[in-house]
Amino acid sequence: MSFLQPVKLQPLRLEVAASQSWSQFVLKVLGLHRHLFADHVCLRTIRTKLGEYLKWKVPAGVEEDLFHHGLGMIKTEVWGGDDFFSPDIFVLYMFVLYKPQMKNLEVPGLSCHADRVTVLDLLYNLGAQHGHLLQSAKIKMFQHSEISIEENYLTKRVLRGFMNLRTLVLWKAADDA
């Protein structure tokens, strides 16, 4: 009698395979638009067209799942982040796909000051009118405890817009001693 049992590999469920394919395609398109963020007319067009499509074709819960699946792909893959003149792929992804109606958000570590300020400014501007519906937020974008005055100010402004927040993780942002 053997304790080793044969492995039965299960194929991916259709929705998992579809979300992987969709996320890879979106990230590939955004990778083509990694230029100076000041030239973001094309990103606004992508956000508008993709937003209209998702609004009418995909339920909000599935849209948030797709968003988080893409974030997971960004974390695990290398997107050529050595170029300091073009934004991190996460910044583009947030600009195009984040909506204040989402329940969870995790912001990874960003090495460039301009990327951190852009993400904070984006979060503030999207939630300025009605606030965010986030219930859980993990902001890990700061690599060291010395954050700039601008980042400190923007972080506080963004946190004021998280009215429904139940869980918050700040990584070194509060260490301004």
Side-chain angles (χ1 to χ4, degrees), residues 32-169:
L32 297 173
H33 295 279
R34 286 188 69 194
H35 43 72
L36 293 176
F37 200 75
D39 289 339
H40 63 281
V41 174
C42 57
L43 292 175
R44 286 184 186 273
T45 304
I46 292 170
R47 181 174 64 186
T48 303
K49 299 278 185 188
L50 196 57
E52 289 173 4
Y53 176 79
L54 290 173
K55 181 179 179 181
W56 298 110
K57 303 284 185 187
V58 178
V62 174
E63 185 177 347
E64 187 168 352
D65 289 342
L66 288 172
F67 177 79
H68 290 294
H69 186 75
L71 285 180
M73 291 179 73
I74 288 173
K75 284 187 210 174
T76 59
E77 295 184 20
V78 177
W79 292 95
D82 291 340
D83 182 10
F84 291 109
F85 296 110
S86 63
D88 190 280
I89 193 76
F90 174 79
V91 177
L92 304 177
Y93 192 78
M94 280 286 292
F95 184 81
V96 171
L97 293 173
Y98 177 75
K99 294 184 177 174
Q101 293 82 17
M102 294 187 176
K103 304 285 185 209
N104 301 309
L105 177 65
E106 183 173 344
V107 181
L110 298 170
S111 59
C112 183
H113 171 76
D115 289 345
R116 293 190 298 264
V117 168
T118 303
V119 168
L120 290 169
D121 197 41
L122 174 71
L123 286 171
Y124 174 73
N125 289 332
L126 288 176
Q129 291 181 342
H130 305 291
H132 296 269
L133 296 180
L134 286 176
Q135 294 178 356
S136 174
K138 296 179 182 177
I139 302 175
K140 301 179 181 179
M141 68 171 66
F142 304 103
Q143 301 291 336
H144 50 81
S145 61
E146 296 93 21
I147 63 174
S148 71
I149 294 172
E150 181 181 23
E151 291 168 335
N152 189 2
Y153 174 71
L154 285 171
T155 303
K156 290 175 185 175
R157 281 176 64 183
V158 167
L159 291 177
R160 285 186 199 111
F162 296 160
M163 296 176 212
N164 300 322
L165 200 61
R166 294 191 177 149
T167 306
L168 174 65
V169 175

